[in-house]
Amino acid sequence: MDLFTKLRSMRLLLIDDDEWVRDSLRLFFESEGCQIVALETAEEGLNATMSRNFDLIIVDYRLPGMDGIEFIKHLPANQAGTLKVLITAYGSEDLFLKAKQSGFNEFIPKPFTTEIIEESLKRLIVPAD
């Protein structure tokens, strides 16, 4: 199954305080027919997860207020099966380990391209042939 065929049936949440990154990724996913909610802060993200279930959450590490790892720790129970991807320009082995221990399924360092996003999501979503 094609990545975007699968993603079109999923609900995506993107949280990044960088307007350029947030808008670029939102437009990228929307151009492929995906349902995506793009927000600026972890607190806005938590509010969204209270009333909606998401299948995939992509969150930046450094955010104003609560960071991406703290955000994941505060997710409500209805998001337990959600795939979680951390994006950051401040990657390190320690952060990667902390992200894995917090429940992230994937870690994508910035800067990235849409091809890198696609490759990472394929590993998570599309079964290997």
Side-chain angles (χ1 to χ4, degrees):
M1 176 179 278
D2 170 75
L3 172 65
F4 289 103
T5 300
K6 183 72 174 157
L7 282 173
R8 284 183 204 104
S9 69
M10 299 173 76
R11 290 170 308 275
L12 286 66
L13 174 61
L14 168 68
I15 304 168
D16 197 313
D17 62 321
D18 182 318
E19 184 178 7
W20 187 89
V21 172
R22 187 175 63 250
D23 289 348
S24 297
L25 284 175
R26 181 185 52 79
L27 289 170
F28 169 70
F29 285 110
E30 285 178 348
S31 74
E32 294 291 344
C34 300
Q35 304 171 56
I36 186 165
V37 174
L39 302 171
E40 185 174 357
T41 69
E43 291 79 7
E44 290 172 332
L46 286 177
N47 286 337
T49 62
M50 297 296 181
S51 59
R52 290 179 259 183
N53 290 332
F54 291 95
D55 301 298
L56 172 66
I57 296 174
I58 302 171
V59 60
D60 190 19
Y61 172 62
R62 286 225 177 142
L63 296 167
M66 184 185 309
D67 69 37
I69 292 178
E70 281 302 309
F71 164 78
I72 291 299
K73 291 178 181 178
H74 287 88
L75 281 176
N78 67 329
Q79 305 298 327
T82 303
L83 295 171
K84 300 162 193 82
V85 177
L86 183 69
I87 56 177
T88 186
Y90 303 96
S92 66
E93 285 300 316
D94 287 342
L95 181 60
F96 178 72
L97 180 59
K98 188 175 176 183
K100 285 289 186 191
Q101 291 170 342
S102 298
F104 280 94
N105 305 96
E106 189 71 27
F107 181 86
I108 302 172
K110 289 181 180 179
F112 53 77
T113 62
T114 55
E115 290 82 13
I116 291 171
I117 294 284
E118 286 182 50
E119 289 169 15
S120 294
L121 296 181
K122 278 181 189 174
R123 283 193 296 274
L124 286 177
I125 297 168
V126 179
D129 293 332

